[in-house]
Amino acid sequence: GAVVSQHPSRVICKSGTSVKIECRSLDFQATTMFWYRQFPKKSLMLMATSNEGSKATYEQGVEKDKFLINHASLTLSTLTVTSAHPEDSSFYICSATRTDYNEQFFGPGTRLTVL
Amino acid sequence: AQSVSQHNHHVILSEAASLELGCNYSYGGTVNLFWYVQYPGQHLQLLLKYFSGDPLVKGIKGFEAEFIKSKFSFNLRKPSVQWSDTAEYFCAVNPDSWGKLQFGAGTQVVVTP
């Protein structure tokens, strides 16, 4: 149980376009989802916390107009990178948690490459 | 600033050797502590976690960790590693009762046959 999926697993796009990444909890209802960014040889950096039905809470330094997060249901959160630029190229990972289990379950990540 | 520090960025050892990875945090008060592993090409998986109780925590795949409150440490250990333990290991701290995690920089462990 507690499986989290992400789609797509990798995406290549042109500079200036927008890219949407989906995060789904497959077998449980996720009260909260988190979005992380992982740079090569670096740790995971929390970008934002997403609660179903409410606005996401962004970490300091993360542009909320750049990284749009929507948590439409208890099983789906989306991250949209708007007007992507090469510096947005990275590995984006989501995680999900539920109220009765104090643990985050991680998705496999999405590799974004902006040309 | 509050932080999570992992002492080694890169560790190379032979099969059957013992492994110990250091983790220190700077948060005060009650924290929840985690060790995650990321095998090549795979997603993060939980190795073990500490919330309260016995400070020696046993996890999956023969791993254990010891919480030493006075040292703000949560070191990961395995008595005898295998080639399949080659992975990146992340220490993480959850300073809230539940919620967002602060990760250490990670330690790349390479086990040679």
Side-chain angles (χ1 to χ4, degrees):
Chain A
V3 178
V4 177
S5 71
Q6 281 184 243
H7 178 80
S9 57
R10 58 182 66 202
V11 56
I12 301 173
C13 68
K14 292 183 179 180
S15 185
T17 61
S18 294
V19 174
K20 181 184 283 187
I21 302 169
E22 291 186 348
C23 175
R24 291 182 185 273
S25 56
L26 298 185
D27 51 3
F28 68 101
Q29 292 188 324
T31 48
T32 303
M33 289 184 170
F34 302 88
W35 286 95
Y36 295 86
R37 185 171 176 175
Q38 186 177 31
F39 295 93
K41 308 291 185 186
K42 297 278 187 180
S43 183
L44 283 78
M45 181 193 78
L46 179 66
M47 298 175 66
T49 304
S50 167
N51 291 295
E52 185 264 339
S54 61
K55 289 185 178 181
T57 303
Y58 290 82
E59 294 300 300
Q60 193 172 10
V62 178
E63 299 176 62
K64 58 182 178 182
D65 295 330
K66 173 78 168 173
F67 299 99
L68 299 178
I69 292 172
N70 185 284
H71 195 152
S73 75
L74 284 171
T75 60
L76 173 65
S77 176
T78 60
L79 167 68
T80 301
V81 183
T82 62
S83 187
H85 288 96
E87 58 264 30
D88 299 324
S89 298
S90 193
F91 196 56
Y92 293 88
I93 302 174
C94 74
S95 71
T97 189
R98 61 191 198 203
T99 53
D100 61 336
Y101 211 70
N102 195 348
E103 178 184 338
Q104 291 183 30
F105 302 96
F106 286 82
T110 296
R111 172 76 59 193
L112 170 63
T113 303
V114 185
L115 303 176
Chain B
Q2 296 171 325
S3 65
V4 181
S5 301
Q6 290 186 238
H7 307 158
N8 309 95
H9 295 297
H10 202 93
V11 172
I12 302 174
L13 60 168
S14 302
E15 277 191 310
S18 64
L19 172 70
E20 180 160 0
L21 302 181
C23 174
N24 286 88
Y25 61 95
S26 62
Y27 294 90
T30 302
V31 295
N32 297 322
L33 300 157
F34 305 80
W35 275 98
Y36 283 90
V37 61
Q38 189 174 30
Y39 297 104
Q42 296 190 26
H43 62 279
L44 279 163
Q45 300 174 38
L46 181 68
L47 274 179
L48 46 80
K49 58 187 177 183
Y50 173 80
F51 293 161
S52 63
D54 189 344
L56 185 60
V57 180
K58 294 195 183 298
I60 61 171
K61 306 187 180 188
F63 285 91
E64 63 178 31
E66 185 175 13
F67 170 55
I68 302 179
K69 189 174 182 180
S70 61
K71 294 185 178 180
F72 296 89
S73 70
F74 189 56
N75 293 353
L76 180 71
R77 296 192 292 255
K78 185 170 184 177
S80 176
V81 295
Q82 301 172 317
W83 177 80
S84 57
D85 293 321
T86 294
E88 184 133 24
Y89 293 80
F90 293 95
C91 178
V93 174
N94 164 218
D96 306 318
S97 58
W98 68 278
K100 54 188 181 183
L101 294 172
Q102 177 81 37
F103 281 86
T107 299
Q108 180 67 50
V109 173
V110 176
V111 180
T112 60

